[in-house]
Amino acid sequence: MLAKHRELLRFAMVGGASFVITMTITYGLKFTVLTDKPVTALVIGVLVATVFSYVANREWSFRTRGGRERAHEAALFFLLSGIALGLNALPQLVSRYVLGLEQPHVGLLTQEIADFVSGVLVGTLLGTVFRWWSFKKWVFPEAGARPRLLRGGGRRAPDDLDDRAA
């Protein structure tokens, strides 16, 4: 069962680490230098996490997938991540600027709960689902395109599901 869903589990772990990076940067900026620009703080946090995510997904989550020249792969990754960033920010934009869930219309606690639910929970869910689907479809389309390296330097067949040497 784990072998069958290995990519998804690794993708989720990279996503979890990216989430921590995003939150650390977003809230660090939001409560210091970008207090009046919460969406900008979120976008910066997501951008930094996206750079980490490319490297981690390419080298770990989808390490045996490929099918594209690296520059083309990276360009597609960042283009699709940009679309996902828009999907990530959209719920918070709606919360803040359409529904008016910001000070002085609501209290600080209500504003922060709305930001967390819309930008962090809903936005992250939308962005993650889109990334999983689009990365497998366009960025890393071919399963088994890159063989895994063994500890001793040899290569393992890409369709070998035994992960003990990785």
Side-chain angles (χ1 to χ4, degrees), residues 98-115:
V98 175
L99 301 177
L101 296 174
E102 64 178 332
Q103 287 184 313
H105 309 297
V106 298
L108 179 62
L109 181 60
T110 301
Q111 172 185 286
E112 294 308 314
I113 291 170
D115 281 355

Side-chain angles (χ1 to χ4, degrees), residues 14-125:
V14 169
S18 296
F19 180 80
V20 170
I21 292 167
T22 300
M23 291 301 92
T24 301
I25 293 171
T26 298
Y27 282 100
L29 292 172
K30 185 176 174 179
F31 292 128
T32 58
V33 296
L34 293 175
T35 56
D36 59 339
K37 299 192 182 304
V39 176
T40 302
L42 177 66
V43 168
I44 292 170
V46 171
L47 284 173
V48 172
T50 299
V51 172
F52 162 78
S53 176
Y54 173 66
V55 174
N57 276 309
R58 183 179 200 289
E59 299 303 324
W60 193 53
S61 303
F62 300 114
R63 70 179 181 212
T64 63
R65 296 181 73 87
R68 304 217 181 273
E69 178 184 311
R70 187 175 287 211
H72 187 214
E73 175 188 271
L76 279 172
F77 184 94
F78 287 106
L79 173 68
L80 294 169
S81 291
I83 293 168
L85 175 60
L87 289 171
N88 204 118
L90 185 63
Q92 188 174 11
L93 286 166
V94 170
S95 174
R96 281 271 179 144
Y97 306 119
V98 175
L99 301 177
L101 296 174
E102 64 178 332
Q103 287 184 313
H105 309 297
V106 298
L108 179 62
L109 181 60
T110 301
Q111 172 185 286
E112 294 308 314
I113 291 170
D115 281 355
F116 184 79
V117 170
S118 63
V120 176
L121 298 180
V122 176
T124 299
L125 179 64

Side-chain angles (χ1 to χ4, degrees), residues 119-133:
V120 176
L121 298 180
V122 176
T124 299
L125 179 64
L126 286 174
T128 299
V129 169
F130 176 77
R131 281 181 183 97
W132 171 251
W133 171 75

